[in-house]
Amino acid sequence: MKKTILIADDSESVREVVSFTLINAGYNVLVGVDGEDAMKFLDGKEIHLVITDLHMPKKDGIALIKEIRGKAEYQYVPILFLTTESQAAKKDEAKAAGATGWIVKPFVPEKLISTIEKVIR
């Protein structure tokens, strides 16, 4: 059975590149245009991993993580940040919110897939 990954990113080009990379690696992909839009998929669907940007309109990545961690059925789903932000303070804030890992854009597809394989269940 294919594993499902939810992507939340406000950049259309990033969503397309990440989706293409994940689909070619054999994953099902759900896509939200920001944190608020991504929440529509967290309605009982089986999701094995969330990849989110940090800075997004309506609901940023930190707020998205906090809301996901507040849902009992998704509290243990791994969450990776894929962002241009590399400041240690933001990483600490994301970790405190419940992030599993951090990948800085631009990403190398092989590195993204190897990181996913380490954290996905």
Side-chain angles (χ1 to χ4, degrees):
M1 181 177 104
K2 287 185 175 182
K3 302 217 173 187
T4 300
I5 299 175
L6 172 60
I7 302 166
D9 199 305
D10 60 327
S11 167
E12 183 176 352
S13 61
V14 170
R15 290 192 308 267
E16 288 178 0
V17 171
V18 174
S19 294
F20 179 80
T21 301
L22 298 179
I23 290 168
N24 280 341
Y27 296 102
N28 290 323
V29 175
L30 303 171
V31 178
V33 298
D34 56 41
E36 187 174 299
D37 189 50
M39 286 303 299
K40 71 183 179 195
F41 296 108
L42 299 167
D43 60 354
K45 288 181 180 64
E46 188 172 18
I47 294 175
H48 300 91
L49 173 71
V50 176
I51 298 175
T52 183
D53 189 9
L54 179 59
H55 302 289
M56 297 182 287
K58 295 185 183 176
K59 184 175 293 189
D60 69 13
I62 298 289
L64 176 62
I65 288 176
K66 289 179 179 175
E67 195 162 335
I68 290 171
R69 294 296 183 228
K71 292 180 166 273
E73 67 269 37
Y74 298 109
Q75 67 181 10
Y76 299 113
V77 171
I79 302 173
L80 296 175
F81 265 108
L82 182 62
T83 182
T84 56
E85 184 71 55
S86 61
Q87 293 183 353
K90 279 293 180 187
K91 288 183 180 179
D92 291 343
E93 183 181 359
K95 187 175 179 180
T100 307
W102 191 278
I103 299 172
V104 177
K105 296 177 192 171
F107 69 92
V108 176
E110 294 80 14
K111 170 75 174 164
L112 177 64
I113 296 302
S114 70
T115 301
I116 288 170
E117 289 172 350
K118 289 178 187 171
V119 300
I120 202 165
R121 298 176 191 160

